[in-house]
Amino acid sequence: MIQINPREIAAEALMEIMTADAYNTMTLRRLLRQNGAMSRQDRAFVTEVVNGTLRNLIYIDHVLNTFSKTKTEKMKPWLLAVLRTAVYQMYFMDVPDAAACNEAVKLASVRGYGSLKGFVNGVLRTAAKKKQEIPLPERRTAEYLSVVYSHPLWLIRMWIAYYGYEETEQICAYDNQSPDVTIRVNTLKTNTQALKKKLAQAGVHVAEGRICVDALHLTKTADLSRLDAFKEGLFHVQDESSQLAVRALDPQRGEEILDLCAAPGGKSFTIAEQMENEGSLLSCDIYAHKIDLMEEGAERLGISIMQCRVKDAAAEEESPKQFDRVLADVPCSGLGLMRKKPDIRLKKDGNEIDSLTKIQREILENAAGYVKKGGVLVYSTCTLCRKENEKNLEWFLAQHPELGQELQLFLGSAEFFETIFLYQLALVDYIYTGRLHFLGTVIDVPPEARREHLRSMIEQLRRTPERLCILCTQNRVCNYDDLSVSVFVNQHAAFMLDGAAGGAQPAYTVESGAIVRQLNIWMDHFRKLPAAQRLTGQDAIDYLTRCMRLL
């Protein structure tokens, strides 16, 4: 029987990712398939060690450089991979220090470094003994967060400028948690409860979605493609936040919809399923090989309305066809994906952001030309960078002030924290600026009036406890309790809807039929959610009271 050492596979994967600039997901997938004889437990161990080491690499290297005279940049790639994975096991996993150290010493000889076994042994044994003696940068500095949470210093500094120290630390801590796998139920073939039961019978641990009723969270599964439910097309992999971008698009049966940057296809699949496979969906991508993957996915899921085409989303057409709804999920820096793609933090230096914003603006400008009068354009990213989010929106609105009366436009960060970050036409920092933007209409609340403004909103809620509250967000850290998994959230502004009246009445007087229409769409989504997922008036009172303390 073939003996496969999972620690060796993990070290090999890490070395390849770090030296060949390979993607962690693709490297792991290939090595796990090449070593298919490994048990499910060993496969999970390899995945955790590789991804966990990448998530904590800056801290791990800090530990190694503390206890080794030879610094990490001078170490042989194989020995460095062995040491890094060993430190991760010792510091972050429930693995005995002696076991991690002894196995690492054995691995040193695998690639001809037997003469350096003593070096490996000495460094790791010292690191094991002095876990509580790691010198760290001064607390409440960017350098401290960078080392402790293994995020690049340039990114920490940018986020502190955006969100402040405490929220930046929350973001970093969340990024370092191990993710589960989230899927979207194919409602063309099954329903949530039926699929949940089928997966549980296959030995998969299943939890229902926190935000989306058609989402399931899976653990204790290795290769999803081996499951009968996958082969039968009963689901596709898609985070809840990605599903929420489609919720914002709100596709309807029989409509014509365009997904401009569709690969790998998850949002297009969800669009088609929400359309009940009736209408037309054009899904485009610039790369031909990704078109093949999307077509295979659509066929597996039983989707027939989805036409896939190779297209540059930024390339203009002379007389473009117009659609009821357009999704522009643009290429971005991916800074909101580091929990699931930990190697991103090691491969970005911020220098690519300016070139990305140029492409994003070209795509957004082009996308607007495909939208019918009165249609919907959704712009989404998977990043936490104001240049790529708010600044692009401000630029677009400045270029097209006339669209305030013609389009409903959302800007959102579609993946971050598996949470919704959507904007109803440039909702900006209320606490600090007092300016709320709606379809070209600006409500300006002077600083001296903001506390009273919030107080009046709280009193309105207290007088009418049956009111529901929608909190609309700008990139701020929220957890599921804050979101109540039902609403669009903003750390700085609230809009109350009168559910008892059967309609949506904005708490502010804003002359715009588009706003009322959009509030009604939100209200419809709200009514469909289980009662346990709804935000109550008391939730809103508590939230706004916390906001007041910031003033």
Side-chain angles (χ1 to χ4, degrees):
M1 185 176 183
I2 299 175
Q3 295 295 320
I4 301 173
N5 185 343
R7 287 181 170 86
E8 181 179 355
I9 303 303
E12 183 177 349
L14 184 67
M15 183 178 70
E16 184 173 323
I17 292 164
M18 298 306 298
T19 59
D21 200 29
Y23 291 107
N24 68 313
T25 51
M26 297 175 65
T27 302
L28 275 171
R29 188 180 302 121
R30 176 175 54 78
L31 287 173
L32 290 176
R33 286 180 177 173
Q34 288 175 357
N35 296 275
M38 279 195 299
S39 67
R40 194 155 111 176
Q41 183 178 3
D42 283 349
R43 293 164 64 87
F45 178 85
V46 170
T47 302
E48 172 59 26
V49 169
V50 173
N51 286 334
T53 303
L54 290 171
R55 275 193 294 269
N56 295 279
L57 195 69
I58 294 176
Y59 181 80
I60 289 171
D61 281 1
H62 179 75
V63 171
L64 290 173
N65 287 327
T66 297
F67 300 122
S68 172
K69 292 181 180 179
T70 303
K71 303 308 176 186
T72 51
E73 62 269 18
K74 298 290 184 67
M75 293 181 186
K76 302 292 185 182
W78 175 249
L79 288 181
L80 181 57
V82 169
L83 286 167
R84 283 169 164 170
T85 54
V87 170
Y88 178 73
Q89 294 168 60
M90 293 161 56
Y91 278 59
F92 297 95
M93 293 180 71
D94 190 20
V95 174
D97 293 344
C101 180
N102 292 338
E103 292 299 319
V105 170
K106 293 176 185 177
L107 286 179
S109 302
V110 170
R111 302 293 170 94
Y113 295 108
S115 61
L116 294 175
K117 289 192 297 184
F119 166 73
V120 172
N121 184 65
V123 170
L124 292 179
R125 290 199 179 279
T126 304
K129 290 176 183 177
K130 298 187 177 182
K131 285 183 181 180
Q132 307 305 319
E133 301 176 29
I134 308 298
L136 294 173
E138 183 180 352
R139 286 181 177 274
R140 296 198 63 80
T141 63
E143 289 77 9
Y144 177 84
L145 294 183
S146 177
V147 171
V148 171
Y149 295 102
S150 290
H151 282 59
L153 187 57
W154 70 267
L155 181 58
I156 295 291
R157 287 171 172 164
M158 183 178 78
W159 282 351
I160 289 176
Y162 287 171
Y163 312 120
Y165 189 89
E166 288 76 13
E167 290 189 15
T168 297
E169 185 168 16
Q170 290 179 48
I171 295 173
C172 294
Y174 193 90
D175 279 346
N176 284 5
Q177 295 178 18
S178 297
D180 56 15
V181 175
T182 308
I183 63 172
R184 205 270 179 183
V185 179
N186 183 359
T187 50
L188 301 177
K189 292 187 174 185
T190 187
N191 58 61
T192 301
Q193 294 306 315
L195 180 58
K196 183 179 178 182
K197 182 178 179 180
K198 186 178 182 71
L199 291 170
Q201 290 172 343
V204 180
H205 185 272
V206 187
E208 294 186 10
R210 304 180 183 96
I211 302 173
C212 300
V213 294
D214 296 318
L216 292 173
H217 292 264
L218 311 184
T219 52
K220 296 186 179 179
T221 182
D223 190 347
L224 290 178
S225 64
R226 296 182 179 182
L227 294 172
D228 289 340
F230 180 88
K231 296 173 184 176
E232 295 167 15
L234 303 186
F235 69 86
H236 67 272
V237 176
Q238 186 182 27
D239 287 341
E240 288 191 70
S241 51
S242 181
Q243 295 178 42
L244 286 168
V246 178
R247 180 187 290 184
L249 187 68
D250 197 29
Q252 302 295 313
R253 185 171 57 186
E255 288 185 330
E256 294 180 303
I257 295 180
L258 171 63
D259 186 353
L260 265 176
C261 309
K267 293 183 180 68
S268 279
F269 300 152
T270 300
I271 290 170
E273 290 163 8
Q274 288 192 199
M275 294 170 70
E276 300 178 27
N277 208 30
E278 294 185 24
S280 68
L281 169 61
L282 179 58
S283 302
C284 304
D285 200 83
I286 195 170
Y287 298 109
H289 70 280
K290 293 185 177 181
I291 296 297
D292 295 337
L293 292 174
M294 288 195 295
E295 289 176 340
E296 291 173 9
E299 183 177 1
R300 180 179 63 83
L301 295 166
I303 294 170
S304 60
I305 65 168
M306 184 174 157
Q307 178 187 357
C308 300
R309 179 187 300 174
V310 176
K311 174 178 168 53
D312 182 350
E316 296 182 16
E317 296 183 42
E318 272 193 34
S319 300
K321 173 181 170 62
Q322 293 195 313
F323 296 81
D324 297 296
R325 301 171 196 271
V326 176
L327 173 61
D329 185 44
V330 298
C332 67
S333 56
L335 301 178
L337 297 177
M338 287 188 287
R339 187 180 177 216
K340 297 205 173 212
K341 298 181 178 180
D343 53 329
I344 286 176
R345 70 187 74 190
L346 309 174
K347 297 180 178 180
K348 304 285 184 180
D349 58 11
N351 292 327
E352 78 282 5
I353 290 175
D354 287 339
S355 60
L356 281 169
T357 54
K358 181 177 182 296
I359 296 169
Q360 291 159 355
R361 292 180 179 188
E362 290 173 353
I363 293 174
L364 181 55
E365 177 74 19
N366 196 36
Y370 290 101
V371 186
K372 291 179 181 178
K373 186 180 178 71
V376 173
L377 169 61
V378 172
Y379 171 88
S380 66
T381 75
C382 53
T383 193
L384 273 175
C385 175
R386 287 184 177 170
K387 278 188 176 181
E388 299 178 74
N389 292 332
E390 293 94 324
K391 294 301 180 183
N392 276 349
L393 178 60
E394 292 170 8
W395 170 86
F396 181 76
L397 292 177
Q399 301 297 311
H400 297 281
E402 77 284 358
L403 294 183
Q405 299 303 318
E406 297 179 6
L407 294 177
Q408 296 172 31
L409 175 76
F410 292 88
L411 168 66
S413 205
E415 310 287 347
F416 176 57
F417 280 8
E418 302 174 7
T419 295
I420 187 164
F421 287 95
L422 298 175
Y423 304 76
Q424 174 65 30
L425 276 179
L427 212 108
V428 296
D429 217 345
Y430 173 72
I431 289 291
Y432 302 108
T433 68
R435 295 174 66 85
L436 303 175
H437 295 242
F438 286 108
L439 300 169
T441 302
V442 178
I443 306 171
D444 200 341
V445 182
E448 62 273 13
R450 288 174 208 161
R451 176 180 287 274
E452 189 58 36
H453 203 201
L454 281 176
R455 183 179 288 110
S456 68
M457 293 164 62
I458 293 171
E459 289 306 313
Q460 284 182 339
L461 279 169
R462 284 178 175 149
R463 288 195 301 269
T464 55
E466 74 280 3
R467 284 193 169 195
L468 311 173
C469 181
I470 285 186
L471 303 174
C472 299
T473 188
Q474 182 187 4
N475 269 341
R476 308 292 287 185
V477 180
C478 308
N479 59 37
Y480 290 120
D481 292 331
D482 289 330
L483 286 170
S484 286
V485 301
S486 64
V487 294
F488 304 124
V489 175
N490 188 340
Q491 292 278 6
H492 305 312
F495 302 88
M496 290 161 284
L497 306 180
D498 191 343
Q505 302 298 323
Y508 302 110
T509 301
V510 182
E511 296 301 323
S512 174
I515 293 176
V516 176
R517 288 195 301 274
Q518 189 56 51
L519 289 173
N520 275 299
I521 291 172
W522 287 348
M523 195 71 213
D524 182 58
H525 284 313
F526 190 94
R527 290 195 182 102
K528 292 177 182 177
L529 288 168
Q533 294 184 353
R534 296 181 181 179
L535 184 65
T536 66
Q538 187 57 50
D539 292 329
I541 290 171
D542 295 342
Y543 184 83
L544 293 176
T545 301
R546 292 200 302 273
C547 285
M548 282 185 62
R549 297 193 188 108
L550 297 176
L551 288 174

